[in-house]
Amino acid sequence: MSGTPIIEAHEIRKTFGHNEVLKGINFELKAGEVVCIIGPSGSGKSTFLRCLNHLEQPTSGLVRVGDEVMGYALRGSELHAIPERKIAGQRTKVGMVFQKFHLFGHMTVEENIIEAPVRVEGVSKAEAITRSNELLERVGLHDRKDAYPAQLSGGQQQRVAIARALAMRPDVMLFDEPTSALDPELVGEVLAVMQDLAEHSGMSMVVVTHEIGFAREVGSRVVFMDDGCIVEEGTSAQVLSNPQHERTKAFLSRIL
């Protein structure tokens, strides 16, 4: 992957009280890359992901998405913080899928998907429905567009959540352990949708995951985090088959 990074994170630090969760992370994502972030629980993976789209405001450091700095506007040569409604506009470039599905329980599948395009983007309801139909076809749920979330399995709900994020036509997709809340037999259907998205759409993705098989097969790069730092990163083969750092070796020996 060459060219200007689609996401650049520079010296990201995040502190909660006296606890420094992120300790100066530098990261970049090129267009078309799938970067899988692995590491033990509590290593700062999810917090870092949330900093990329400013759901968590970094204590210090900057995140650039395309030509914009998340949470800020450039006036002359100085950066100035912008209000939340403008940050929400910036976030439309960065779709996010969470561990929990966060679907609106009182809305049908189709209504969940068209809500943001109509209300945030201002597209017509007809266009949003066309977009929804295409996405539901893609995630294999076109026949469930009139169902409510409670009528769906966890795997189906997560596939709807992916379609909902894609409905905003983001430049980048962030996935925060999207299969961790699923029963084991439902994991594969969600990973298959993500793999299709990477391989057939060329979508740029950052995926926090414990699914090492997915990271090995689909990931362009793997980043191993521990204690708020990036300990090791490289191609999937380099990090997963031939790790160089002792901490990475110890982590992988426990889960492989």
Side-chain angles (χ1 to χ4, degrees):
M1 306 287 172
S2 59
T4 304
I6 195 166
I7 290 183
E8 287 182 281
H10 178 68
E11 284 296 310
I12 298 299
R13 295 179 181 274
K14 180 65 180 180
T15 302
F16 296 101
H18 297 294
N19 183 23
E20 189 174 31
V21 177
L22 301 175
K23 301 175 180 178
I25 292 183
N26 294 293
F27 171 86
E28 64 178 38
L29 176 77
K30 300 285 181 64
E33 273 193 311
V34 178
V35 175
C36 293
I37 302 179
I38 64 172
S41 298
S43 57
K45 306 184 301 296
S46 292
T47 300
F48 175 61
L49 200 71
R50 292 168 66 87
C51 284
L52 291 181
N53 68 352
H54 224 69
L55 282 175
E56 289 286 357
Q57 182 176 353
T59 304
S60 63
L62 295 173
V63 174
R64 186 180 297 275
V65 177
D67 57 0
E68 291 190 276
V69 177
M70 292 298 292
Y72 297 90
L74 188 64
R75 296 179 193 146
S77 59
E78 294 186 350
L79 287 170
H80 295 266
I82 59 176
E84 178 60 32
R85 60 182 176 80
K86 291 193 174 181
I87 298 174
Q90 290 181 324
R91 284 196 197 107
T92 61
K93 296 180 178 180
V94 187
M96 188 157 184
V97 176
F98 301 87
Q99 297 176 35
K100 298 292 186 181
F101 322 121
H102 297 303
L103 300 176
F104 298 115
H106 65 290
M107 292 182 178
T108 65
V109 165
E110 181 175 83
E111 289 168 342
N112 266 279
I113 293 172
I114 70 173
E115 174 78 0
V118 170
R119 288 188 177 272
V120 179
E121 275 191 297
V123 307
S124 70
K125 185 174 180 180
E127 181 185 340
I129 288 174
T130 297
R131 201 181 289 186
S132 172
N133 287 337
E134 292 170 354
L135 290 167
L136 286 173
E137 196 75 54
R138 171 170 223 157
V139 301
L141 289 172
H142 191 263
D143 62 334
R144 305 309 308 273
K145 67 179 183 179
D146 296 321
Y148 287 88
Q151 298 171 310
L152 304 177
S153 71
Q156 289 172 328
Q157 289 186 60
Q158 193 61 293
R159 284 187 278 156
V160 173
I162 292 172
R164 182 178 63 177
L166 290 171
M168 293 298 287
R169 298 184 173 172
D171 297 328
V172 181
M173 285 285 285
L174 309 179
F175 293 88
D176 186 10
E177 299 190 24
T179 59
S180 66
L182 300 178
D183 292 334
E185 66 269 22
L186 301 178
V187 168
E189 65 189 59
V190 174
L191 294 180
V193 168
M194 293 168 61
Q195 183 165 357
D196 175 75
L197 192 60
E199 294 179 350
H200 297 112
S201 299
M203 175 63 74
S204 308
M205 296 161 57
V206 185
V207 184
V208 171
T209 185
H210 292 293
E211 300 292 339
I212 300 301
F214 177 86
R216 189 188 304 278
E217 189 170 346
V218 183
S220 314
R221 284 190 291 129
V222 169
V223 169
F224 173 67
M225 283 183 64
D226 188 40
D227 194 27
C229 300
I230 291 179
V231 175
E232 185 168 351
E233 63 180 307
T235 67
S236 304
Q238 287 170 342
V239 176
L240 299 177
S241 300
N242 189 29
Q244 300 302 299
H245 196 282
E246 290 303 319
R247 185 67 189 89
T248 317
K249 293 177 184 177
F251 174 77
L252 291 172
S253 71
R254 287 204 307 273
I255 63 171
L256 293 179

